[in-house]
Amino acid sequence: MSLAFIFPGQGSQAVGMGADLAEAFAPAREVFQEVDDALGQNLSKLMREGPEGDLTLTENAQPALMAVSLAVMRTLEREFGVPVEKAGFVAGHSLGEYSALAAAGAISLADTARLLKLRGQAMQRAVPVGAGAMASLIGPKTDVALAEQAAEAGAAAGVCVVANDNNQGNVVISGAKAAVDLAIEKAKELGARAIPLNVSAPFHCPLMQPAADEMAQALAGAAISAPRAPLVANVTARPTLDPEEIRRLLVEQVTGRVRWRESMIWLAGEGGVTRFAEAGAGKVLSGMAKRIAPDAEATPLNAPADLEAFAKSL
């Protein structure tokens, strides 16, 4: 059975996440303390107690979600003898790509926390609040072609592109608010349902170029080594072990499309993956995996009992 570890992105955060892991396992507590120390912030307290509004802020949600994912992975390795090398591949959704790289030893935990804090701040700075928007296009008729047609119609009013190709029936568009509003109307005409997303900025679109420039500067000075398992990158939906390619793709990812559906298809096809383990908060990616690769097994790993059962099943 070929295994891939997958790592969730923004939207999976919730007050209380990781608290049961910290209570049960010393390696999880160590991860949370290391992240707090790296950021000079009591992020673990915010994760445990909220308030939710502060946790949802991009600059907090991104390192917090990574911390939970790394708490899972370090606990798997140190408490249950399951290293990341048990997997043939790692992949993460948007910020989850940083979690995947940290889990695979390509970037240190402290550097990953600091990079994600900066990434969140840079994304927020790139576009004034309210000037951008994102919307999820859903329904059985929704695919990339429909979303691109809607985005093209929206582009008459400004920047509008496909941001996340999540799975058949779930594609996200992003851009200037007026353009996204126009695209929503077109998507409805084409038979999709459209749900405006409660986000603070239009992620994964050209309006994020100032954030990409900030990340390029930060990543230029970051130590990146070859991951212990190949990373299937958001931008290419293909595996890489090359540190310099990883550095470049992390910059491109800020403005580029998250090709999650294509990544999962590659993993379940050419990658030979028959089991996906979602390390971190929530179970969004497990649900997507079951829709994209119905013959594969998908397991969320975020509670102590999940980790024990998973280790025993290997």
Side-chain angles (χ1 to χ4, degrees):
M1 178 181 288
S2 182
L3 170 69
F5 284 115
I6 54 177
F7 298 85
Q10 205 160 334
S12 291
Q13 70 274 358
V15 172
M17 66 181 185
D20 51 355
L21 292 171
E23 188 175 338
F25 303 118
R29 293 193 292 276
E30 289 168 12
V31 166
F32 296 138
Q33 187 60 56
E34 285 178 39
V35 171
D36 285 355
D37 292 345
L39 297 179
Q41 173 189 3
N42 197 343
L43 185 64
S44 57
K45 182 174 187 288
L46 177 60
M47 291 158 61
R48 281 194 314 273
E49 302 174 11
E52 185 178 4
D54 289 350
L55 179 61
T56 302
L57 290 173
T58 302
E59 66 177 86
N60 292 326
Q62 295 199 19
L65 284 161
M66 182 277 297
V68 178
S69 289
L70 269 289
V72 168
M73 295 302 292
R74 190 177 289 185
T75 299
L76 278 176
E77 181 158 17
R78 297 193 183 172
E79 294 283 328
F80 298 104
V82 181
V84 70
E85 290 92 340
K86 278 278 187 185
F89 302 95
V90 294
H93 192 284
S94 191
L95 84 90
E97 194 153 88
Y98 284 80
S99 306
L101 288 164
I107 310 176
S108 73
L109 177 60
D111 281 354
T112 305
R114 288 188 285 262
L115 285 167
L116 283 173
K117 183 78 172 179
L118 173 65
R119 185 177 182 266
Q121 292 169 336
M123 286 176 149
Q124 193 59 70
R125 282 192 289 264
V127 179
V129 174
M134 298 181 77
S136 184
L137 308 184
I138 59 174
K141 291 184 178 179
T142 302
D143 58 13
V144 173
L146 181 150
E148 286 177 340
Q149 196 176 340
E152 191 176 335
V159 170
C160 188
V161 299
V162 173
N164 300 352
D165 176 12
N166 287 330
N167 57 255
Q168 176 71 26
N170 180 349
V171 184
V172 176
I173 57 172
S174 178
K177 187 175 187 312
V180 171
D181 288 346
L182 193 58
I184 285 173
E185 294 310 310
K186 182 63 175 179
K188 289 176 180 175
E189 285 177 25
L190 295 170
R193 286 176 56 212
I195 302 173
L197 298 181
N198 183 21
V199 293
S200 55
F203 305 133
H204 300 291
C205 83
L207 296 176
M208 288 287 109
Q209 189 58 49
D213 294 341
E214 282 196 60
M215 291 311 297
Q217 189 172 352
L219 285 159
I224 301 178
S225 56
R228 287 154 54 193
L231 171 80
V232 174
N234 285 185
V235 172
T236 60
R238 292 295 183 273
T240 181
L241 287 164
D242 178 9
E244 292 313 309
E245 184 181 21
I246 288 167
R247 197 186 308 273
R248 175 176 59 80
L249 292 174
L250 287 174
V251 176
E252 291 182 15
Q253 185 226 58
V254 178
T255 57
R257 183 182 301 182
V258 176
R259 298 181 180 274
W260 192 252
R261 179 185 57 85
E262 293 174 64
S263 297
M264 297 295 284
I265 288 170
W266 187 91
L267 283 163
E270 290 182 54
V273 171
T274 54
R275 187 175 193 183
F276 294 96
E278 181 179 5
K283 51 187 177 182
V284 170
L285 298 186
S286 298
M288 288 185 192
K290 288 171 184 174
R291 288 189 286 276
I292 299 166
D295 294 335
E297 187 180 336
T299 309
L301 303 176
N302 50 41
D306 297 339
L307 275 61
E308 185 173 3
F310 174 71
K312 285 179 178 175
S313 74
L314 294 176

